[in-house]
């Protein structure tokens, strides 16, 4: 765990939660073959919310956020993202994916393209942005994640932390309204975790709607306005962070927290 | 405790010195590679002896070769007259005397410029694909090259290749209209089905009609006049150029989630791969006409090209499938998460990487395919081997074989070796770029 609050104060002035619904998940169920991986998930995310999802491995937390941009298909229930319902309609799926940014545990940058090309690819091909404009946008976000000088290198030449920041910039270039983070720091060395979390905190300070699967409880305390604990494919407990960490209600949550805070 | 002081301070730094002679240059190389142990030394000497024996026998035969003789008997007279009677010499005269035949087969000699020009058009067309640093405008030549080469080689009315090319235009328009107005699946089906219908039923009459209104064309050369290396190159290059995109589509189809598309691809690949090429060639020669609409008699060389192409495509598909499978799942997900659609993610993310992984396999398949073109000799086409048999059947050159087959072998070696070198160049280049 990296302690963030000691080193920087988080500016909460722009972190306002609006009444507008960004994501609505109703009674959603998913099976992998015969394995019931997500059970009766109900979740409403308001615009501007920062939600941290935690839980033991295999609890379905990654699967849940991967359902939101249809990297995984759900079999029952509804998912409505930004007013568009996720169905098997390919055009809807592509539309939602272009509105929802995603960062992966292993970055998934495209190794055959430069950093800049990684960032301009989707704006050019999905949004039909002119190349020059797309490059300006890309440079803007690369500066934001503090690696503009690496723009012409290939991903393989960068450190893990830099790669993850590029991945964040790549998603931001599509001007997404929602960002999903799937364990963004789990594959990183301790000293690189901080640089990625700093970038994510900055994003939160600007009011981005974020869903974040992570084990970084310091991050959860600093920026989240809701922490969700999942186990066995179900939402076991959700609460605002101080209450969640100081006064967990369910036994399962208490056990989980004692295990990750304990060491 | 001894009195030796533990502290030590160097007062003078040592200069760099040259290594001993046994550790540098050719001496070291020989010690390491040729004489590293007594056994290796014996093997080295033995090998040198074998090399000497081979060269001392073949060398004079090659060096003393007679290049200007019009028949085998004339060649033998020259050897008898010049040598002391003990030395053998090659009769390379057959190559100079029959050079045109070996290269062009029975193509009319006043029209030799056409296949040569076709080769130039092909090379200009392929250049921007092989060397991406060339100007992109050259892609216009690339698009026109297949039709232009076809027309130059076979001749006839210019309207026929143009009508065929229009079929691709029909496909593109159909895809655009249906994709935008109906659905992407309809767009895909339309893009395949409409051009097929066009080619089968409209293309022929259209070309015929246009030709009767504006007769524009060059002399028609039938396929049976094709021969020699020209035939090998025409079959080999057409098959290479067409089988790559076809193989890519087949590989993608085989990994598709759509059951029917996947099944079709699997059946096609397994059937084509599971039967020897020579059987397919006989099929092309004897049976293919039964499957085509009545009245359309198809040229034998074209039929062979189609068969060789399909055969190569099945192999290429499997090679590329390996490349696709080797790509981490995260790459597909990364592309998906950005909102790229299927074809965009394939074209921009998946295929560039999968093809890079597959380069050695693809080039390997191409080399095999190019050499397999010699199989067409069995269905009566005059590839270099067929021409060689024909030359050996004439009274002038009856009885010659080493020189001809050596020449044919060297020509094939040069072609295949350069393909292999290009693949190495490409691999190194991509490695550098992506690192």
């Amino acid at each position: 765990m990296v302690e963030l609050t000691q080193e920087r104060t988080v500016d909460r002035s722009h972190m306002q939660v609006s009444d507008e619904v960004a994501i609505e998940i109703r009674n959603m169920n998913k099976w992998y073959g015969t394995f019931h991986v997500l059970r009766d998930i109900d979740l409403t995310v308001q615009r501007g919310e920062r939600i941290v999802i935690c839980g033991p491995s295999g609890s379905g937390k990654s699967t849940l956020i991967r359902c939101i941009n249809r990297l995984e298909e759900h079999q029952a229930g509804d998912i409505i993202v930004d007013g568009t319902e996720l169905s098997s309609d390919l055009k809807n799926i592509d539309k939602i994916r272009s509105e929802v940014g995603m960062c992966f545990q292993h970055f998934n940058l495209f190794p055959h393209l430069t950093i800049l090309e990684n960032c301009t690819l989707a704006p050019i091909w999905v949004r039909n942005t002119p190349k020059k404009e797309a490059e300006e946008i890309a440079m803007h976000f690369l500066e934001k994640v503090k690696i503009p000088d690496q723009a012409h290198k290939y991903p393989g030449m960068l450190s893990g932390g830099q790669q993850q920041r590029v991945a964040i910039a790549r998603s931001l270039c599509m001007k997404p309204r929602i960002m999903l983070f799937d364990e963004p720091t789990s594959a990183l060395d301790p000293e690189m975790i901080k640089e990625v979390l700093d970038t994510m905190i900055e994003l939160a300070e600007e009011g981005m709607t974020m869903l974040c699967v992570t084990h970084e409880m310091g991050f959860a305390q600093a920026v989240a306005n809701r922490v969700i604990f999942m186990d066995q494919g179900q939402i076991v407990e959700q609460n605002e962070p101080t209450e969640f960490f100081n006064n967990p209600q369910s036994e399962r949550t208490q056990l989980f927290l004692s295990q990750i805070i304990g060491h | 405790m001894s009195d030796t002081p533990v502290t030590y301070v160097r007062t003078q730094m040592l200069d760099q010195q040259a290594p001993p002679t046994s550790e540098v240059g050719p001496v070291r190389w020989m010690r390491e590679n040729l004489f590293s142990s007594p056994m290796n030394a014996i093997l080295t000497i033995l090998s040198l002896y074998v090399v000497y024996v081979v060269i001392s026998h073949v060398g004079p035969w090659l060096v003393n070769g007679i290049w200007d003789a019009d028949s085998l008997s004339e060649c033998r007279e020259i050897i008898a007259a010049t040598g002391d009677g003990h030395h053998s010499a090659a009769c390379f005269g057959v190559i100079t005397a029959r050079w045109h035949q070996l290269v062009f087969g029975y193509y009319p000699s006043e029209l030799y410029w056409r296949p040569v020009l076709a080769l130039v058009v092909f090379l200009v067309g392929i250049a921007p694909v092989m060397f991406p640093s060339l100007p992109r405008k050259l892609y216009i030549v690339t698009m026109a090259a297949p039709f232009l080469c076809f027309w130059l080689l076979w001749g006839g009315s210019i309207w026929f290749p143009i009508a065929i090319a229009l079929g691709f235009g029909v496909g593109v328009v159909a895809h655009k209209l249906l994709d935008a107005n109906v659905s992407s699946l309809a767009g895909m089906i339309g893009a395949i089905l409409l051009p097929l219908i066009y080619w089968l039923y409209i293309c022929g009459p259209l070309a015929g009609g246009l030709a009767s209104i504006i007769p524009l064309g060059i002399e028609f050369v039938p396929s049976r006049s094709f021969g020699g290396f020209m035939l090998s190159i025409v079959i080999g290059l057409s098959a290479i150029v067409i089988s790559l995109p076809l193989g890519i589509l087949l590989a993608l189809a085989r990994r598709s989630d759509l059951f029917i598309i996947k099944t079709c691809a699997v059946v096609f690949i397994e059937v084509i791969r599971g039967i020897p090429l020579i059987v397919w060639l006989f099929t092309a020669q004897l049976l293919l006409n039964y499957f085509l609409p009545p009245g359309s008699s198809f040229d034998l060389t074209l039929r062979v090209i189609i068969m060789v192409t399909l055969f190569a495509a099945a192999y290429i598909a499997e090679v590329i499938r390996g490349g696709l499978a080797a790509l981490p799942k995260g790459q597909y997900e990364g592309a998906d998460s950005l909102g790229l659609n299927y074809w965009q993610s394939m074209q921009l993310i998946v295929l560039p990487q999968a093809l890079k992984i597959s380069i050695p396999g693809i080039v390997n398949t191409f080399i095999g395919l190019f050499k397999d073109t010699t199989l067409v000799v069995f269905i009566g086409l005059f590839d270099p081997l067929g021409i060689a048999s024909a030359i050996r059947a004439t009274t002038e050159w009856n009885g010659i074989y080493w020189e001809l087959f050596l020449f044919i072998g060297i020509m094939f070696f040069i072609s295949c070796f350069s393909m292999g070198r290009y693949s190495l160049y490409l691999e190194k280049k991509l490695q550098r770029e992506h690192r």
Side-chain angles (χ1 to χ4, degrees), chain A residues 66 69 71 90-91 94 97-98 100 102 104 108-113 121-122 125-126 154 156-157 170 174, chain B residues 179-180 183-184 329-331 333-342 344 347-349 352-353 433-435:
Chain A
R66 287 160 61 86
N69 67 351
L71 288 181
L90 288 175
K91 288 205 167 121
D94 284 339
R97 281 174 178 168
S98 66
V100 178
M102 177 141 190
F104 300 87
N108 297 352
L109 293 177
F110 307 129
H112 62 301
L113 301 176
L121 185 92
W125 289 86
V126 180
Y154 286 91
M157 302 165 173
R170 179 177 74 175
M174 287 294 280
Chain B
D179 192 51
S183 76
S184 55
K329 198 165 156 250
Q331 291 294 310
E333 290 179 351
D336 283 348
S337 73
L338 287 170
L340 296 171
N341 64 33
Y342 177 79
Q344 285 172 339
Q347 180 202 342
L348 300 167
I349 307 301
Q353 297 184 64
E433 282 182 357
H434 298 178
R435 207 3 288 187

Side-chain angles (χ1 to χ4, degrees), chain B residues 110-415:
Chain B
E110 71 276 12
L111 299 178
Y112 281 165
W113 62 272
R114 271 164 48 177
V116 173
L117 185 59
L119 184 67
V120 171
V121 170
F122 172 82
L123 291 177
V124 175
I126 200 87
V129 182
M130 289 175 77
F131 304 100
S133 52
L134 291 169
R136 299 186 69 86
K137 273 189 188 149
L138 276 176
Y139 276 110
I140 298 170
V141 184
T142 310
M143 308 247 272
F147 308 103
L148 204 53
C149 289
F150 171 82
W151 184 59
L152 281 170
L153 287 169
W154 274 274
S157 159
I158 193 167
W159 297 111
F160 188 57
I162 290 180
I164 296 266
L166 269 177
F168 290 97
V170 169
V172 172
V173 171
H175 178 76
K176 282 230 165 104
L177 286 179
L178 288 170
D179 192 51
N181 298 325
V182 190
S183 76
S184 55
L185 186 68
M188 240 160 71
I189 296 171
I192 297 169
L193 222 55
L194 285 178
L196 278 181
I197 294 169
Y198 166 84
W199 279 321
L200 284 179
Y201 299 107
I202 306 171
C203 182
L206 178 72
L210 281 168
S212 62
I213 299 165
I214 317 164
L216 205 64
I218 48 177
E219 193 184 327
F220 175 70
V221 179
S223 279
R224 62 173 180 278
S225 310
F226 285 40
F229 283 104
M230 184 193 128
L231 182 68
S232 291
I233 291 171
V234 166
I235 297 176
L237 289 186
S238 327
I240 284 174
V241 168
I242 308 169
S243 69
L244 186 59
L246 207 57
I248 292 173
L249 287 180
L250 277 171
L252 293 179
R254 192 167 184 170
R255 286 173 66 87
S256 165
D257 295 330
L258 304 170
F259 177 75
I260 294 175
I261 290 182
K262 184 181 176 161
T263 314
C264 288
V266 171
V267 169
F268 178 87
I269 291 170
E270 296 302 341
V271 167
I272 295 267
R273 252 197 335 174
I275 294 170
L277 178 58
I278 190 75
V279 175
W280 287 119
L281 290 178
F282 282 125
T283 312
Q285 183 192 18
L286 303 167
L287 290 173
L288 206 60
N289 266 355
Y290 291 106
F291 297 111
L292 292 166
S296 64
S297 79
F298 227 59
D299 187 279
L300 178 59
T301 310
L302 279 182
R303 277 183 269 161
V304 166
I305 289 177
I306 291 173
M307 274 306 177
V308 175
T309 304
L310 295 182
F311 194 76
Y315 276 88
I316 294 286
E318 285 302 283
V319 171
I320 292 174
R321 192 166 68 95
L324 291 172
L327 211 60
K329 198 165 156 250
Q331 291 294 310
Y332 294 86
E333 290 179 351
D336 283 348
S337 73
L338 287 170
L340 296 171
N341 64 33
Y342 177 79
W343 291 108
Q344 285 172 339
S345 68
M346 287 302 134
Q347 180 202 342
L348 300 167
I349 307 301
V350 175
L351 284 174
Q353 297 184 64
L355 289 177
K356 180 195 154 200
I357 302 172
S358 319
I359 289 170
I362 292 173
V363 175
N364 191 28
T365 310
F366 283 164
I367 288 176
L369 155 80
F370 187 57
K371 291 183 297 176
D372 281 351
T373 57
T374 51
L375 283 175
V376 299
V377 70
F378 292 112
I379 56 167
L381 293 183
F382 289 102
D383 84 309
L385 292 183
I387 292 283
S389 309
I391 292 173
R392 289 183 331 115
T394 58
T395 45
E396 291 96 353
W397 296 106
N398 194 352
I400 198 158
Y401 47 98
W402 277 108
E403 293 83 347
L404 269 178
F405 291 124
L406 184 71
F407 170 69
I408 292 168
I410 288 174
M411 292 293 270
F412 271 104
F413 176 78
I414 291 172
S415 318

Side-chain angles (χ1 to χ4, degrees), chain A residues 149-166:
Chain A
D149 45 330
Q150 317 277 9
H152 295 286
K153 290 188 179 169
Y154 286 91
M157 302 165 173
L158 269 55
S159 75
Q162 288 174 322
Q163 289 193 45
Q164 191 61 290
R165 283 184 285 149
V166 171

